[in-house]
Amino acid sequence: MRFILLGPPGAGKGTQAQILAKTLGVPQLSTGDMLRAHVALKSELGLQVNRYLQSGGLVPDEIILQMIENRLQEADAQIGFVFDGFPRTLIQAKELEFICQKLNIKLDGVIFIKVSDDEIVERVCGRCVDVTTGQIYHVKYNPPPPGVEIKIRDDDQEEIVRHRLNVYKENTAPLVQFYESKGILKIVDGTGLIGSVTQRVLESVN
Ligand code: AMP
């Protein structure tokens, strides 16, 4: 069970990847979460990537690819995984093919979550995260229960969100065609309630 969740920032990739990974019993491999963990720990890698995360720009491909290759060799990833936020460039997608060949594994599908630009800005700008569990909420659509300590990601401010959207269009959007040409792309409508999107995601993997 090896899937990629593809889509613009704020399409609900993280939320759906979390649910899909849990349903399939495989780890959710989010490069964004891995990078943020390094930044929080102030590791050497964290110090190196912090400025890219702050600005909403992309971390260099070599750093991401090394991180992914290492992660794929850990025990829990042997039964499968759901990639969330990776690959994000054509170079990463092509290199991932080499990594898969090397590790003798095959992707089962790429799920593209489709959402319009306006909806993305609206969604991302209200997004917040439970400091303890990492659970994602939205101040308007999915408010956190009372008493939960939440924080807002530094890169979820409107100006940075618009920049991340442009970065996505330039670098990541071409992956839709790349995977379509490989015959493994599944397009899922990302609008509506979280539960309805989840249902469509689960239907697409069955
Ligand atoms: P995300 O949590 O997926 O929205 O990622 C947050 C930030 O981490 C992005 O804006 C990038 O700076 C960086 N990042 C995450 N994944 C990648 C990737 N695959 N390639 C390059 N940069 C990434």
Side-chain angles (χ1 to χ4, degrees):
M1 284 297 173
R2 298 181 179 91
F3 290 96
I4 293 175
L5 276 193
L6 195 61
K13 280 193 311 291
T15 304
Q16 298 301 334
Q18 220 169 40
I19 300 171
L20 179 62
K22 213 168 166 186
T23 309
L24 299 176
V26 298
Q28 170 195 3
L29 303 188
S30 156
T31 40
D33 284 349
M34 293 179 206
L35 295 166
R36 279 185 290 276
H38 277 286
V39 171
L41 283 172
K42 295 194 165 62
S43 70
E44 199 182 315
L45 178 65
L47 296 174
Q48 216 179 336
V49 301
N50 194 17
R51 63 191 165 105
Y52 299 105
L53 272 83
Q54 291 290 337
S55 68
L58 291 182
V59 170
D61 291 327
E62 316 79 74
I63 296 180
I64 298 289
L65 287 160
Q66 191 60 62
M67 197 171 75
I68 283 292
E69 191 165 351
N70 293 344
R71 184 65 185 83
L72 285 182
Q73 293 179 61
E74 285 178 31
D76 65 337
Q78 302 315 306
I79 45 162
F81 50 77
V82 174
F83 276 140
D84 161 18
F86 172 84
R88 246 181 168 96
T89 64
L90 268 176
I91 292 180
Q92 290 179 16
K94 287 178 182 164
E95 285 298 319
L96 175 62
E97 297 199 314
F98 288 119
I99 295 175
C100 285
Q101 261 174 26
K102 203 155 92 181
L103 302 178
N104 202 16
I105 56 176
K106 193 175 148 285
L107 292 176
D108 292 294
V110 177
I111 304 157
F112 173 51
I113 304 188
K114 211 173 168 179
V115 179
S116 75
D117 286 7
D118 286 347
E119 186 153 349
I120 283 163
V121 174
E122 161 118 2
R123 281 192 196 185
V124 177
C125 291
R127 184 159 74 172
C128 53
V129 185
D130 183 328
V131 173
T132 321
T133 64
Q135 174 72 43
I136 305 163
Y137 294 102
H138 189 283
V139 288
K140 196 158 131 197
Y141 303 118
N142 179 25
V148 170
E149 191 190 344
I150 55 155
K151 68 175 168 53
I152 294 179
R153 274 171 48 173
D154 294 341
D155 58 355
D156 276 350
Q157 299 155 50
E158 181 156 352
E159 199 184 317
I160 300 180
V161 170
R162 293 214 180 264
H163 176 59
R164 285 164 61 205
L165 208 53
N166 287 335
V167 168
Y168 166 80
K169 283 188 181 153
E170 205 168 301
N171 300 278
T172 314
L175 298 189
V176 173
Q177 228 199 322
F178 176 78
Y179 286 117
E180 193 170 26
S181 73
K182 305 225 166 254
I184 55 171
L185 186 78
K186 296 153 200 286
I187 301 177
V188 166
D189 174 8
T191 54
L193 296 172
I194 293 175
S196 319
V197 181
T198 300
Q199 203 176 339
R200 295 194 279 269
V201 168
L202 295 178
E203 277 165 13
S204 80
V205 303
N206 283 322

